[in-house]
Amino acid sequence: MNVFDGTAMALSGLCLIHCIALPIAFLALPSLILISELPESIHRWLVAIALPLATIALSIGYQRHRQTLPLVLGFAGLVFLSSAFVPVSFPHFETFMTGIGGTLLAIAHLKNWRMRRAIG
């Protein structure tokens, strides 16, 4: 597995855990909220890491397999992730949008990895 795709998939997985498992844990154990307040900037930092990493990994993959599906999925994922920079007043909008973005990026990297692996 390419180091960029592997790292990107791992970060996408962590993003999903953060977006899905953490709220479920808070519902189960409300006292966790008091001890685990993450700064609001966490999504912006994740986007700052994901953008160059995804661009490099998906570009390298495209150069090898010439399939556009991972690029399209990755671009869509990055657009959703970038919603972290849009100030809105809807509750949980940022979490929802970055969750979709992380999922799309994870799928894009998985497809990229499989397509690269299929051609050798």
Side-chain angles (χ1 to χ4, degrees):
M1 178 182 300
N2 177 288
V3 69
F4 290 110
D5 281 320
T7 303
M9 283 191 284
L11 288 174
S12 294
L14 289 174
C15 178
L16 288 175
I17 290 168
H18 165 73
C19 292
I20 295 171
L22 212 53
I24 292 171
F26 290 160
L27 287 174
L29 301 166
S31 60
L32 285 178
I33 293 173
L34 299 175
I35 60 171
S36 65
E37 287 294 319
L38 292 172
E40 287 296 320
S41 63
I42 189 74
H43 292 141
R44 289 177 187 90
W45 282 102
L46 289 172
V47 172
I49 294 167
L51 184 64
L53 190 60
T55 302
I56 292 168
L58 296 172
S59 296
I60 291 170
Y62 177 77
Q63 290 173 353
R64 296 213 38 214
H65 55 64
R66 298 289 184 199
Q67 301 294 316
T68 58
L69 181 60
L71 288 176
V72 171
L73 289 171
F75 178 74
L78 290 172
V79 168
F80 277 96
L81 279 178
S82 296
S83 69
F85 294 103
V86 178
V88 295
S89 59
F90 301 113
H92 310 295
F93 173 81
E94 184 178 334
T95 301
F96 178 73
M97 297 298 277
T98 55
I100 291 172
T103 301
L104 287 172
L105 265 180
I107 293 168
H109 288 295
L110 182 60
K111 293 238 178 249
N112 193 51
W113 174 68
R114 285 184 177 169
M115 288 176 177
R116 289 182 57 198
R117 192 171 165 212
I119 62 168

